[in-house]
Amino acid sequence: MEKDSFEVDRLRAAIKILEEENAQLSDRAEDAMLLGLVAEAIEGIPEPSAIVEQVLERTSILKDLPFVTCGILRGGEVEKIASYVAFSDDSGAGYPLHLSDEICRELVEGPYLTECLQGITTSLGADTFPTGWTLIIPFHCHQYGQGVFLFFDRRTNQKRLGSMLFLLDQVVRLTIGRLDNIFLARQLTRMNAHLEERVLAKTEDLRASNIRLQQVYERFVAILNGVDSYIHVTDSSNHTVLFGNESAKKLFGTTMEGQKCYRVLRNENAPCAFCKMPQLLAGRGKTDNAVTWESFNPLLGKWFLNSERIVDWPDVPSALLTVGTDISGLKTVEEEKKLLAQKLHHTQKMEAIGRLAGGIAHDF
């Protein structure tokens, strides 16, 4: 008999262990289902408060918690975000809701369990909702800042809510993660929109600036083309003509830009021996760094008064600006003046000789 009794006790113990394991497995399955339901419910919801409502409703129903709420925490005062009340149709049940300074200090360290609303001031009455234990889980998110989830249980067994702590903390983390994702996504959308506005505004400014620059350039070219003197700009590093005004192109050809200056201007095969570029480059930086000189162009058969200086030019370290004025007419006048002076001098000389000869004849 004693042996049979021992076997029975052993079987009962084994059955109890199995029942406890099954209960644990059932709780784990239930917990996994809750997390799955919460994740599924909030996946497509864009509104933050609606997300919190869905989480609270599913948690309350599945874990048999009659009152669950979430709010922003401001100096102990809880400002409601959302609630789920199983025993009332009053959406504002439990509020106003306040946490003591002691609880607020404890929440800095993490979740907090309190019995019979100790440290909690709420509109819940003992007749409508006799509270057992309450679990408070703090959170911080971009959408709401500092806040709390409160899970109220009628049961007086602390172990029940304590065993849910890990699960409910995971639910809160999942919820806050979703809220942060929505907030950051909206922030990114706003930033992208702002960036697009700035890009459009900048593009418009650049377009307007380009138009103004084009207008300035056109006026600049029009002014240069209206000058009778020829004007050309040459790259000092390779003697390539960068620009020529209309007067220059009429004299030296419309295709002068891009060609060597000495070939276009004088049909030479190398830089001119009298080129002033080395002199000007050596004195670059001086305010009076300019030269004026006369030259005869054998291709045109004309004399020019040239004024040259080093200038800045886009994408070119140093460029030579040359302004040449046709002075062939002045040279002709000067030659004619010289001839007239010579004739006058010869005439005066002949007159003097004549007077001298007349005087001598008179003396004879």
Side-chain angles (χ1 to χ4, degrees), residues 70-145:
C70 173
I72 301 169
L73 186 60
R74 301 186 191 277
E77 197 70 29
V78 181
E79 298 178 10
K80 176 186 168 185
I81 297 173
S83 294
Y84 184 80
V85 188
F87 54 85
S88 173
D89 293 332
D90 182 11
S91 60
Y95 285 87
L97 198 155
H98 187 273
L99 304 181
S100 68
D101 293 341
E102 180 184 355
I103 290 180
C104 291
R105 286 193 296 268
E106 292 292 337
L107 290 175
V108 175
E109 303 298 327
Y112 183 77
L113 266 171
T114 183
E115 184 180 12
C116 298
L117 298 178
Q118 290 182 8
I120 302 176
T121 303
T122 176
S123 62
L124 292 174
D127 54 339
T128 58
F129 183 68
T131 308
W133 286 84
T134 303
L135 174 62
I136 309 172
I137 299 179
F139 71 84
H140 181 84
C141 69
H142 293 90
Q143 184 69 40
Y144 295 115

Side-chain angles (χ1 to χ4, degrees), residues 245-319:
N245 70 344
E246 287 299 320
S247 296
K249 291 177 180 179
K250 287 179 181 178
L251 292 172
F252 305 110
T254 57
T255 60
M256 65 179 300
E257 294 174 358
Q259 299 188 53
K260 301 298 183 182
C261 61
Y262 49 80
R263 183 174 298 280
V264 172
L265 303 179
R266 303 180 67 87
N267 196 27
E268 301 283 349
N269 294 321
C272 305
F274 51 82
C275 181
K276 302 299 187 291
M277 197 177 295
Q279 174 186 339
L280 291 170
L281 288 174
R284 188 177 186 186
K286 298 179 181 179
T287 55
D288 58 346
N289 186 29
V291 293
T292 301
W293 54 289
E294 296 180 2
S295 66
F296 179 75
N297 191 302
L299 288 180
L300 304 176
K302 294 182 178 182
W303 281 90
F304 292 92
L305 178 65
N306 304 294
S307 178
E308 295 184 318
R309 67 171 55 245
I310 298 296
V311 296
D312 294 326
W313 196 263
D315 301 323
V316 175
S318 56

